[in-house]
Amino acid sequence: MAVSGSQPRERGDEPVGELVQRASQQLTELVRAELRLAQAEMKEKGRRYGKGGGLFGGAGVVGFLMLQALVATAIAALAVPLPVWAAALIVTTVLGVIAAVMVLTGKKEVGRAAPPTPRQTIDNVKADVTEIKRSAHR
């Protein structure tokens, strides 16, 4: 028989400590590799979100310009049977009425939301505390 340290050990003959150390090292390497992969994936997703957000912003600007052109088209169409100033006044009045309706509707919705505290939840918590106190005194 050979002396214990002179021949390489077979896979199954390794001490438990070495197995645990190797498993710990492999787990650490695996976690680091997964973190690097997650980081690379998140960078790529971030680039795509940034590009998408920029495109949405650009679309908003172009949409706003389109609405301005639509207003100019409406004025031009009304200017055929009417003077230009009358056509512009009519379109401006219609846009003003739409804006006023939106403001009033928005004000009503904000009024429904005020005050900005979760009133119903606060009332429920107070009722729960009262019930717990009552149960504790029994």
Side-chain angles (χ1 to χ4, degrees), residues 26-39:
Q26 289 174 347
L27 181 62
T28 301
E29 290 172 8
L30 177 64
V31 168
R32 286 183 182 155
E34 292 295 338
L35 286 173
R36 283 191 300 271
L37 176 63
Q39 185 180 21

Side-chain angles (χ1 to χ4, degrees), residues 15-45:
V16 173
E18 286 180 27
L19 291 173
V20 169
Q21 181 181 5
R22 191 171 49 200
S24 174
Q25 182 181 4
Q26 289 174 347
L27 181 62
T28 301
E29 290 172 8
L30 177 64
V31 168
R32 286 183 182 155
E34 292 295 338
L35 286 173
R36 283 191 300 271
L37 176 63
Q39 185 180 21
E41 187 178 354
M42 293 307 293
K43 280 183 183 178
E44 179 63 26
K45 286 181 182 276

